[in-house]
Amino acid sequence: MATVQSPETQNVEYKESWRDEYLKWVCGFANAYGGYIYIGVEDGSHKIVGVENSKRLMEDIPNKIVTNLGIVADVNLRQVEGLDYIEIIVAPSNIPISYKGVYHYRSGTTKQELKGGALQDFLLRKLGKTWDDVSIEDAKIEDIDRNSIDYFLSKGIAAQRIPETMQTASTEEVLTSLQLIDDNGKLKNAAILLFGKNPLKYFHSVEFKIGRFGRDESDLLIQDIVEGNLIEMADKVVDILKAKYLVSPVRFEGMQRYETLEIPIEALREIIFNAIAHKNYMGPAIQMHVYDDRIEIWNDGTLPEGYTADTIYANHPSRPRNPKIAGTMFKAGFIDTWGRGYNKIYTGFEKNGLPIPTVSEHFGGVQIVIERTYFKHLNGNVGNDVGNDVGNNVGNDVGNDVGNDVGNSTQKKIAERYIAIKEIIKGNPFITALQLSEKLDVSDRTIERDIAKLQEAGMLIREGDRNRGRWIVLK
């Protein structure tokens, strides 16, 4: 059985017979990295089955490629054991190629029909530009927030990536140094996104949405939408997460009490900066879903060509979707331009003994999932209820307070108060210690001591800070 000896590449297609629709594959190869199409060869086995009317096809195929696509491909007639088959060699084109008005693109082993943001990115890339480098006709320097410029300069100088002499530079000088103004004095997309007073005036999806969910996505408990320019967005998001959404578990070393955020803070910032810097800003907002057992962060825009979810944590060159945005964030000291962002995330979680976040391409974007191991640990190991824990020695301090003498009236009052605290919090997770003390007619210091005991025993946790967070009763 004769088989075709094709080049060692993914950019190869095998077709048993010729159909004009295969011009789409020629188009896709031309728009990508080139490739080979073999006519008269079985897919899979690569067995040569031959073609009829090979002479006519050798005239028709080149003519149809030129007429429909406007390019020239190398079409060769091959013969093995008396069987004719055709080899079409497609070179990559340096200009966009369409077939009947539609742009096709070969990615890996599949052909894609480019639409929307993906088509726009492709056309700009073929022209040697990126979306964030495009100028805005009606944007003016007055649309730039000088406070954001000063914030950027202070960060960049502190990171030693911007000279101190830039501190007194004008807004125009700063934007020019960052290549965010074109030769005609027009502001570019990146300028408004990074430093604009109101980026939503020009772009509809400059938002970072955060939601806390219960059982599933239909069970929304609280939500926040962070708007404004990108240079300050990450800090705003981190502040809100610490204040309302994330847990800082209590631990004791001797008499010293410590509260450490459940996610390594530097790794968390890297994840947020990645989502902001690599987002497709023609698509929907960045979305963060916070559940009991996990956190999902999604941004529109797929991984760069050739990158996969399996290899993203390995060493790789930096290929940002938005080079102007990424370059500015680098100068501010927010990100690294050497493709080490995911390595920093990996190291941060590994150092703290936490599961490495998973990365996947999801609904046209990139999603990173963080496992909340603290919740899982508590939910799997804490008793069903404080009342059931009385006398069972759950938590040393709680056991000392409650479990030694159930018949003692003081101990009973403490146990009853613990149960009452849990029930009140279940009804109002946002209640304050002062409000609890008034409801239970005890001092606020007593309530704070009770809450500390329940936290230490792993039966009650605080999600967010003292002022804006909420209580969660664990079962």
Side-chain angles (χ1 to χ4, degrees), residues 47-238:
K47 176 184 176 182
I48 298 172
V49 296
V51 293
E52 297 180 358
N53 302 318
S54 58
K55 184 177 180 180
R56 177 176 58 81
L57 288 175
M58 285 297 295
E59 294 179 0
D60 287 351
I61 293 176
N63 289 334
K64 288 179 178 179
I65 292 174
V66 171
T67 301
N68 290 277
L69 304 176
I71 61 174
V72 176
D74 192 4
V75 181
N76 303 306
L77 179 63
R78 306 295 187 191
Q79 190 177 72
V80 174
E81 298 179 358
L83 296 174
D84 290 342
Y85 69 98
I86 294 172
E87 176 189 60
I88 305 172
I89 304 175
V90 184
S93 173
N94 57 5
I95 61 171
I97 303 299
S98 68
Y99 173 62
K100 295 184 177 179
V102 177
Y103 293 86
H104 300 269
Y105 189 85
R106 175 74 173 205
S107 177
T109 58
T110 62
K111 180 188 69 63
Q112 302 172 356
E113 184 177 314
L114 298 177
K115 298 178 180 179
L119 175 58
Q120 185 181 58
D121 284 346
F122 163 75
L123 293 174
L124 286 170
R125 190 169 67 249
K126 283 292 183 181
L127 297 173
K129 295 180 70 70
T130 55
W131 179 85
D132 63 339
D133 196 36
V134 174
S135 301
I136 308 175
E137 189 62 32
D138 56 343
K140 298 178 176 60
I141 200 72
E142 290 77 18
D143 290 318
I144 300 297
D145 182 2
R146 179 65 204 194
N147 291 330
S148 297
I149 293 285
D150 291 337
Y151 171 83
F152 159 75
L153 291 173
S154 66
K155 292 290 185 179
I157 291 170
Q160 297 185 338
R161 293 180 179 177
I162 296 176
E164 290 188 25
T165 54
M166 287 294 292
Q167 187 73 65
T168 57
S170 68
T171 298
E172 291 91 338
E173 288 172 333
V174 173
L175 295 178
T176 299
S177 71
L178 296 171
Q179 299 179 18
L180 300 183
I181 298 180
D182 68 17
D183 294 338
N184 298 315
K186 300 291 185 182
L187 296 177
K188 297 181 179 180
N189 286 339
I192 294 296
L193 284 169
L194 286 161
F195 303 111
K197 293 177 181 177
N198 180 23
L200 285 172
K201 175 182 176 181
Y202 296 94
F203 313 108
H204 71 279
S205 65
V206 193
E207 298 174 328
F208 199 118
K209 295 183 177 180
I210 310 169
R212 180 61 167 96
F213 298 85
R215 299 177 305 276
D216 52 42
E217 196 168 343
S218 65
D219 186 18
L220 178 62
L221 304 176
I222 55 174
Q223 66 175 329
D224 284 276
I225 299 178
V226 181
E227 299 176 348
N229 59 53
L230 304 187
I231 205 69
E232 298 184 67
M233 181 175 284
D235 278 348
K236 292 178 182 178
V237 170
V238 170

Side-chain angles (χ1 to χ4, degrees), residues 408-419:
N408 182 284
S409 61
T410 301
Q411 304 287 6
K412 284 183 177 179
K413 287 180 180 178
I414 294 172
E416 290 169 357
R417 196 166 64 241
Y418 287 162
I419 295 171

Side-chain angles (χ1 to χ4, degrees), residues 325-339:
I325 293 173
T328 302
M329 287 187 167
F330 168 77
K331 288 184 179 294
F334 294 159
I335 63 174
D336 200 305
T337 62
W338 296 96

